[in-house]
Amino acid sequence: MSEGSCLCGSVRIRYTGEVQARVLCHCADCRKITGSTYSTNVVVPGDGFSVVKGTPKTYSKRAGSGKTMTSNFCGDCGSTLWRGGCDPNFPPLGYDVTLADILSNLASQRKWPAPAPELSEKRHSCSDKKAAILWTESIPPSPRDTDSTDQMPSPSEEAPSSPPNGGYGWVCTLCVALINANTWGLNSSYGVFLAHYLSNDTFPGATYLEYAFVGGLSISCAMLVSPLATLSIRYYGSRVTLSIGIVLETASLMAASFADERQIWQLFLSQGVCFGFGMGLLFVASVGIPPQWFTTKRSLANGISSSGSGFGGLVYSLAAGAMIRSIGLAWCFRVLAILCFTVNTVCTIFIRDRNKIIGSRHLLDLSLFKRPEFLLFAGYGFFSMLGYIVLIFSLADYANHIGLTASQASVISAIFNLGQGLGRPPIGYFSDSIGRITMAGLTTSLCALFTFVIWIFAKSYGVLILYALVGGTVAGTFWATAAPVAVEVVGLRDLPAALNLEWLVIVLPCTFSQPIALQIANSTGGYLGTQLFVAVMYMAAALCVLLLRRWKVEQLNETARRENDRPNSISMADSELEANGDMARPAGRRTRWKDFWKWRKI
C-alpha cells in the first residue's frame, strides 16, 4: 500500500496493488504541470485507488490524441495528484496515472520507479495512442524497486533524444562541410572541365549535349542512389556508407584519368555515373547529421556545412584550371583523387550521427506524397535545381561565349562558388532568426531577381564577376535550407525519409537542366533564352515556398488553438516536437489567406 498527499495536506490519496508501469514523461502537458523537463509517474489499478481525505478539483483538456485527460489537483495549494482519461487504451481501462513524487513512502525512502521505459517521444502527449504503448507496457518488478539507495536518473538520462544544440555537433558540422567540399565542391568545378572539353575538343566527335550529360549524370546518379544509401545507413550505419562512397569517388577520378579520348562513354561511366554514386553515398549519409545536433542553431549549422560545397568549388575550380594547364587532364584527375580520399577519410573517422538516439526513420515513405505540404516542398527542390544546375555548369561556358579567355572563365566559376561559400552561413543564421521557410522564400526570389537585372546584362568580365559573386550567395539556397525546411514540413524523425524522397524528385531536373539550357542557347544563337529559363524556374520555386509558408501559418495557428495559447508564442521547435503540431497539419491545407501576410517567424 502507498499513500501520499498534496503540498498542504488537504487532499490525501492511497492505492493498493502492484504498479503496472513506470514512466518518465516529457510531453508538453507534463512539463507544464511539473515546471520541469519531465514528470515521474506510476500507473496504478483504479479499483485499488482511493481518495482518503479532502475533495480535489479537476481540469480536463483534449490531448494530442484527441482524447480528454482529466487532472485532479488540490484547490488550495494547486498540487496535481493524479490524472485519468476516457480512452480505453490510455490510461488502461480501470487505471490511473499518479505522480510518483506525491507518494510519501516512495519519496521518503527514495524508492523511485525504475526509469524504463522513458517516454522520450516528444511528438506525442502522454495521452497519445502511440505513447500508450509505452505507458501500458507491463514491466516486471525491478531490483531497483527494493533498493532503498535508488537515485533519480542523472540529467544526462532525462532526455536522451534532446539535441545538445552545440558541443561535438560543431565538429560534425565541420566534417560535413569538408565532405561537401570534396564532393559537391569538386563537382561544381565541372564547369571548368566542360569549358576545357568544349574549347579543346578533348573527345573528338563528342557533341556539346554529350559533355553536358556528364555533369548532369553525376548529380542525378547522386540523387538516384539515395534509397540504397538510406538502406545502407539503416542496416550498416553512417560510417560504412561513407566509406563505400569514398571508395567509389576515388575510383571514379582514377578511372577518368585513364579514359580513352576516343571513347566518351568511359567519361560517362567514370566522371558521371561512378562519381555520382560515390558523391550520393557521402552526401546522403552526412547531410542529416548536423540537424540532429542542434535546435535553435539548426539552420546556422546546416548553412555552415553546406557552405563547404561553395568553398570547395572555389578551390577546385581554380586548382583544376591550373592543373589542367600545367600537368594535363589525366594527372589533374589523379591529384584530385588523392586529395578527396585523404580528406573524406579523416572526416569519416571523426563524424558521429545520433540516428539511434532520436529514432530516425530511414525509410522510403511514399505516404509523404499524400501530404500537399510535402508536394510543395518537393516542387521547391524540383524548380530550384532546374535553375541551379544551369548556373554552376554554364557560367564558364557563358564567359567563353562573350569572348573571355579560359583562365577568366575559370575565375568566373571560382567566384560563383566563393559566393555560395560566403552566402550559405548567413542564410542559415537568419533562417534561425526570421524563420526557415520565410528565408528560403526571400533568397529564392532574389535568385530570380539577380538573373533578371544582372546576368542578362552581364556582357563584360567585371559585370559577370559581380553576378557570379552576388548571385552565388543565394543560388544554392535550396541546399542551405532543404533539411531545416523539411523538418518544418514533416518533423525531425521523418527528416531522413523526406530528404530521401526529395533527392529522387530532383533526379530529373539534375539530369536534363543543363542539356535543356545548352539546347536553348544553341537553337537561339545566344544565352538570353537560357537566362530567362533560369529566372522563371527560380520564380516557380519561390512560389512553392510562398504556398508552403501559407500552410505553415495555418498549422501554427491551429497548434496555438489546441494549446490554448497565442499564435506568436508557438515556436517552430514546439510545432515539430509536440502532438498538437502533428494534429494541426490538416488545418494548414485549408484555403485561407487571412493571416498569411502578417510578419512572423515561420
Side-chain angles (χ1 to χ4, degrees), residues 35-261:
S36 181
T37 55
Y38 65 90
S39 63
T40 309
N41 309 273
V42 291
V43 179
V44 298
D47 56 5
F49 183 87
S50 61
V51 179
V52 296
K53 179 184 176 182
T55 302
K57 288 189 175 182
T58 61
Y59 170 73
S60 298
K61 179 178 183 262
R62 186 174 65 175
S65 62
K67 306 298 182 180
T68 300
M69 285 291 291
T70 299
S71 297
N72 298 266
F73 62 95
C74 173
D76 294 328
C77 65
S79 302
T80 299
L81 295 103
W82 83 94
R83 307 181 76 198
C86 61
D87 185 1
N89 293 312
F90 177 80
L93 195 59
Y95 290 85
D96 289 296
V97 180
T98 304
L99 295 177
D101 299 331
I102 295 298
L103 303 173
S104 57
N105 66 319
L106 290 181
S108 62
Q109 299 174 32
R110 300 194 68 80
K111 292 174 64 177
W112 300 97
E118 179 172 354
L119 184 56
S120 58
E121 171 52 85
K122 297 186 177 181
R123 288 173 172 264
H124 306 277
S125 77
C126 61
S127 59
D128 188 275
K129 207 166 188 178
K130 215 167 190 181
I133 297 172
L134 294 176
W135 277 95
T136 62
E137 195 172 14
S138 178
I139 304 172
S142 166
R144 297 181 58 143
D145 293 339
T146 59
D147 185 357
S148 61
T149 63
D150 249 356
Q151 303 294 320
M152 282 294 290
S154 66
S156 63
E157 295 174 318
E158 288 176 4
S161 64
S162 179
N165 205 32
Y168 197 80
W170 292 117
V171 176
C172 295
T173 299
L174 176 61
C175 289
V176 174
L178 290 173
I179 288 175
N180 284 332
N182 288 275
T183 51
W184 292 106
L186 177 57
N187 189 71
S188 296
S189 68
Y190 181 71
V192 176
F193 288 94
L194 177 62
H196 173 77
Y197 294 151
L198 291 174
S199 60
N200 293 277
D201 194 22
T202 307
F203 291 82
T207 66
Y208 64 89
L209 283 178
E210 288 176 320
Y211 287 128
F213 266 118
V214 174
L217 272 176
S218 64
I219 299 180
S220 60
C221 286
M223 301 297 98
L224 198 60
V225 79
S226 60
L228 293 177
T230 300
L231 290 175
S232 177
I233 296 169
R234 184 180 181 186
Y235 291 108
Y236 304 109
S238 298
R239 279 204 176 94
V240 172
T241 307
L242 289 168
S243 299
I244 297 172
I246 292 172
V247 171
L248 288 176
E249 184 181 32
T250 305
S252 71
L253 294 171
M254 294 300 294
S257 71
F258 293 102
D260 189 335
E261 294 184 351

Side-chain angles (χ1 to χ4, degrees), residues 157 170 196 214 229 291 306 334 337 394 411 435 439 512 516 532 568:
E157 295 174 318
W170 292 117
H196 173 77
V214 174
S306 63
R334 292 164 195 160
S394 289
V411 171
M439 192 66 186
F512 296 105
I516 290 172
L532 292 175
N568 288 334

Side-chain angles (χ1 to χ4, degrees), residues 487-558:
V487 173
E488 295 299 312
V489 177
V490 302
L492 188 58
R493 287 190 67 191
D494 286 324
L495 174 64
L499 293 180
N500 192 24
L501 291 179
E502 183 71 346
W503 309 147
L504 293 178
V505 166
I506 64 177
V507 166
L508 286 178
C510 288
T511 305
F512 296 105
S513 58
Q514 178 64 8
I516 290 172
L518 287 180
Q519 183 62 41
I520 293 173
N522 280 273
S523 61
T524 60
Y527 261 84
L528 179 60
T530 299
Q531 293 163 331
L532 292 175
F533 172 77
V534 170
V536 171
M537 291 304 101
Y538 273 121
M539 288 176 62
L543 179 61
C544 289
V545 179
L546 187 74
L547 296 174
L548 188 61
R549 188 180 190 278
R550 185 207 63 81
W551 166 80
K552 191 65 179 181
V553 168
E554 291 298 330
Q555 187 216 14
L556 291 180
N557 287 343
E558 179 65 12

Side-chain angles (χ1 to χ4, degrees), residues 187-346:
N187 189 71
S188 296
S189 68
Y190 181 71
V192 176
F193 288 94
L194 177 62
H196 173 77
Y197 294 151
L198 291 174
S199 60
N200 293 277
D201 194 22
T202 307
F203 291 82
T207 66
Y208 64 89
L209 283 178
E210 288 176 320
Y211 287 128
F213 266 118
V214 174
L217 272 176
S218 64
I219 299 180
S220 60
C221 286
M223 301 297 98
L224 198 60
V225 79
S226 60
L228 293 177
T230 300
L231 290 175
S232 177
I233 296 169
R234 184 180 181 186
Y235 291 108
Y236 304 109
S238 298
R239 279 204 176 94
V240 172
T241 307
L242 289 168
S243 299
I244 297 172
I246 292 172
V247 171
L248 288 176
E249 184 181 32
T250 305
S252 71
L253 294 171
M254 294 300 294
S257 71
F258 293 102
D260 189 335
E261 294 184 351
R262 294 168 298 178
Q263 306 289 335
I264 193 172
W265 63 266
Q266 295 180 8
L267 198 65
F268 287 160
L269 293 180
S270 56
Q271 196 174 10
V273 176
C274 189
F275 183 86
F277 284 160
M279 181 170 66
L281 289 168
L282 285 161
F283 172 67
V284 174
S286 63
V287 67
I289 292 178
Q292 296 175 351
W293 287 88
F294 298 89
T295 52
T296 59
K297 301 174 183 176
R298 181 175 296 150
S299 294
L300 174 60
N302 196 74
I304 292 173
S305 64
S306 63
S307 70
S309 62
F311 289 119
L314 165 67
V315 172
Y316 282 123
S317 292
L318 294 175
M323 284 190 289
I324 289 173
R325 290 191 297 272
S326 59
I327 61 177
L329 182 64
W331 273 104
C332 174
F333 278 125
R334 292 164 195 160
V335 172
L336 293 177
I338 295 170
L339 285 174
C340 290
F341 176 82
T342 303
V343 176
N344 287 335
T345 299
V346 172

